[in-house]
């Protein structure tokens, strides 16, 4: 009996750390910025399956959001509307520029009437940027993943529901960039994307979510009005820092309970 009680308590403790069901729900007036990368099935033995959300799962998520009264915005719209946003507003962000964003994500965005912000790396081909974060992430998995061609990016923009944002020139690790190189990554990517696609680029995504405090003002200097991080959470538009916006991580390794917890509280586990 005692052993069973102990085992039960242990299981409850473990579940409560893994799934922070006890965390209070974040205010419905605080927008959820959902962070996606690839929309594809997980691959056996792959390192980055957390970045792959299956088409079936994202469809279930978008259907649930629609059926429960959530309204979709681009990141720039969220920042511009700020305190006048309706309850239950959210943004979909797609980082890096994977080809499946066109083939798998766009049809679902259109089916469920959703907008998205595509954070594109300008020089995204034949580049193994995962080693910039951790040297041993040198398997080339993300480098081999097909990327959107410029023509495919244009097709996404032509759909009318996608905002273009910058994810830097090279997906550099900004922790290692001096201020001159930082300015260059920020300004060049904005200028090139605007010239190439003929749209304003007003928002930026920090590569790997890594940067130093003194780099934040350079984003504004380069002409952006917002930037997203990979820090998890949701915030009040009255108090958020537009150049350091938190996001809700949507992981390909999550089950449905985890998605619902992340949406409700901004994160899954206790940390
Ligand atoms: Zn990225």
């Amino acid at each position: 009996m005692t052993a069973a009680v102990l085992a039960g308590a242990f299981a409850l403790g473990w579940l409560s750390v893994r799934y922070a069901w006890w965390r209070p729900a974040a205010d419905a007036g605080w927008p959820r910025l959902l962070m996606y990368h690839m929309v594809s099935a997980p691959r056996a033995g792959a390192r980055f399956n957390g970045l792959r959300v299956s088409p079936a799962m994202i469809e279930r998520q978008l259907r649930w959001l629609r059926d429960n009264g959530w309204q979709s915005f681009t990141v720039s719209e969220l920042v511009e509307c700020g305190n006048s946003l309706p309850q239950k507003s959210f943004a979909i962000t797609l980082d890096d520029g994977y080809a499946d964003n066109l083939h798998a994500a766009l049809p679902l965005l259109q089916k469920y009437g959703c907008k998205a912000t595509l954070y594109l790396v300008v020089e995204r081909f034949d580049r193994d940027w995962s080693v910039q974060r951790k040297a041993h992430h040198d398997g080339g998995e993300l480098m081999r993943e097909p990327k959107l061609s410029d023509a495919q990016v244009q097709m996404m923009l032509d759909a009318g529901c996608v905002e273009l944002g910058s994810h830097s020139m090279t997906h550099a690790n900004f922790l290692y960039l001096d201020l001159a190189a930082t300015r260059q990554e920020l300004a060049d990517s904005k200028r090139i994307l605007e010239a190439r696609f003929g749209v304003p680029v007003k928002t930026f995504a920090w590569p790997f979510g890594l940067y130093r405090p003194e780099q934040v003002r350079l984003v504004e200097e380069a002409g952006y009005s917002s930037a997203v991080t990979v820090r998890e959470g949701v915030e009040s538009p009255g108090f958020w820092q537009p150049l350091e916006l938190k996001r809700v991580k949507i992981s390909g390794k999550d089950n449905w309970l985890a998605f619902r917890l992340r949406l409700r509280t901004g994160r899954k586990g206790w940390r």
Side-chain angles (χ1 to χ4, degrees), residues 84-106:
S84 56
L85 283 166
Q87 297 279 298
K88 294 190 174 181
S89 53
F90 74 101
I92 290 171
T93 64
L94 298 162
D95 283 18
D96 300 340
Y98 297 102
D100 59 39
N101 291 183
L102 173 69
H103 305 306
L106 183 62

Side-chain angles (χ1 to χ4, degrees), residues 37 95-96 98 121 129 167 171 206-208:
H37 289 77
D95 283 18
D96 300 340
Y98 297 102
V121 177
W129 56 66
H167 197 25
H171 208 294
W206 295 101
F208 312 109

Side-chain angles (χ1 to χ4, degrees), residues 70-113:
W70 287 80
Q71 274 187 65
S72 170
F73 295 86
T74 65
V75 171
S76 288
E77 287 173 345
L78 286 183
V79 171
E80 281 156 25
C81 295
N83 279 324
S84 56
L85 283 166
Q87 297 279 298
K88 294 190 174 181
S89 53
F90 74 101
I92 290 171
T93 64
L94 298 162
D95 283 18
D96 300 340
Y98 297 102
D100 59 39
N101 291 183
L102 173 69
H103 305 306
L106 183 62
L108 293 172
L109 295 175
Q110 292 174 313
K111 181 173 177 183
Y112 293 96

Side-chain angles (χ1 to χ4, degrees), residues 95-161:
D95 283 18
D96 300 340
Y98 297 102
D100 59 39
N101 291 183
L102 173 69
H103 305 306
L106 183 62
L108 293 172
L109 295 175
Q110 292 174 313
K111 181 173 177 183
Y112 293 96
C114 289
K115 298 175 179 179
T117 298
L118 170 65
Y119 285 109
L120 193 66
V121 177
V122 176
E123 295 176 1
R124 57 198 173 278
F125 306 102
D126 300 319
R127 187 175 288 281
D128 196 13
W129 56 66
S130 48
V131 296
Q132 299 293 330
R133 182 156 173 261
K134 289 184 179 162
H136 66 279
H137 286 180
D138 58 355
E141 184 183 326
L142 296 182
M143 180 174 65
R144 287 190 301 274
E145 191 70 34
K147 308 295 187 309
L148 291 164
S149 67
D150 284 353
Q152 289 174 318
V153 172
Q154 190 62 57
M155 288 166 79
M156 290 192 71
L157 299 179
D158 288 346
C161 57

Side-chain angles (χ1 to χ4, degrees), residues 30-257:
W30 297 4
R32 274 58 168 171
L33 281 74
L34 309 182
M35 176 173 66
Y36 295 89
H37 289 77
M38 289 168 263
V39 177
S40 64
R43 302 239 180 91
R47 182 191 291 275
F48 292 104
N49 278 338
L51 302 183
R52 293 186 177 89
V53 178
S54 75
M57 184 53 123
I58 191 173
E59 175 154 27
R60 188 178 178 192
Q61 294 166 352
L62 297 187
R63 191 188 309 124
W64 186 90
L65 286 160
R66 181 197 64 186
D67 292 348
N68 287 275
W70 287 80
Q71 274 187 65
S72 170
F73 295 86
T74 65
V75 171
S76 288
E77 287 173 345
L78 286 183
V79 171
E80 281 156 25
C81 295
N83 279 324
S84 56
L85 283 166
Q87 297 279 298
K88 294 190 174 181
S89 53
F90 74 101
I92 290 171
T93 64
L94 298 162
D95 283 18
D96 300 340
Y98 297 102
D100 59 39
N101 291 183
L102 173 69
H103 305 306
L106 183 62
L108 293 172
L109 295 175
Q110 292 174 313
K111 181 173 177 183
Y112 293 96
C114 289
K115 298 175 179 179
T117 298
L118 170 65
Y119 285 109
L120 193 66
V121 177
V122 176
E123 295 176 1
R124 57 198 173 278
F125 306 102
D126 300 319
R127 187 175 288 281
D128 196 13
W129 56 66
S130 48
V131 296
Q132 299 293 330
R133 182 156 173 261
K134 289 184 179 162
H136 66 279
H137 286 180
D138 58 355
E141 184 183 326
L142 296 182
M143 180 174 65
R144 287 190 301 274
E145 191 70 34
K147 308 295 187 309
L148 291 164
S149 67
D150 284 353
Q152 289 174 318
V153 172
Q154 190 62 57
M155 288 166 79
M156 290 192 71
L157 299 179
D158 288 346
C161 57
V162 176
E163 171 186 33
L164 185 61
S166 166
H167 197 25
S168 81
M169 286 301 296
T170 63
H171 208 294
N173 184 336
F174 276 50
L175 292 178
Y176 303 140
L177 297 186
D178 62 22
L179 294 184
T182 304
R183 281 196 183 92
Q184 209 165 0
E185 283 275 352
L186 290 166
D188 287 359
S189 60
K190 182 172 166 38
R191 182 174 45 77
I192 290 171
L193 291 176
E194 288 183 338
R196 199 168 287 175
F197 299 105
V199 292
V201 172
K202 298 184 278 189
T203 184
F204 178 74
W206 295 101
F208 312 109
L210 297 173
Y211 56 94
R212 302 190 307 276
E214 68 268 26
Q215 290 169 314
V216 174
R217 68 182 169 81
L218 302 186
V219 178
E220 200 165 31
E221 272 178 34
Y224 299 96
S225 44
S226 64
V228 295
T229 68
V230 301
R231 277 202 299 282
E232 294 181 66
V234 289
E235 306 166 286
S236 162
F239 297 98
W240 66 19
Q241 302 295 324
L243 304 178
E244 298 179 87
L245 294 169
K246 291 181 180 172
R247 287 191 283 181
V248 180
K249 179 171 145 188
I250 307 296
S251 170
K253 295 178 179 172
D254 280 352
N255 56 25
W256 186 248
L257 169 66

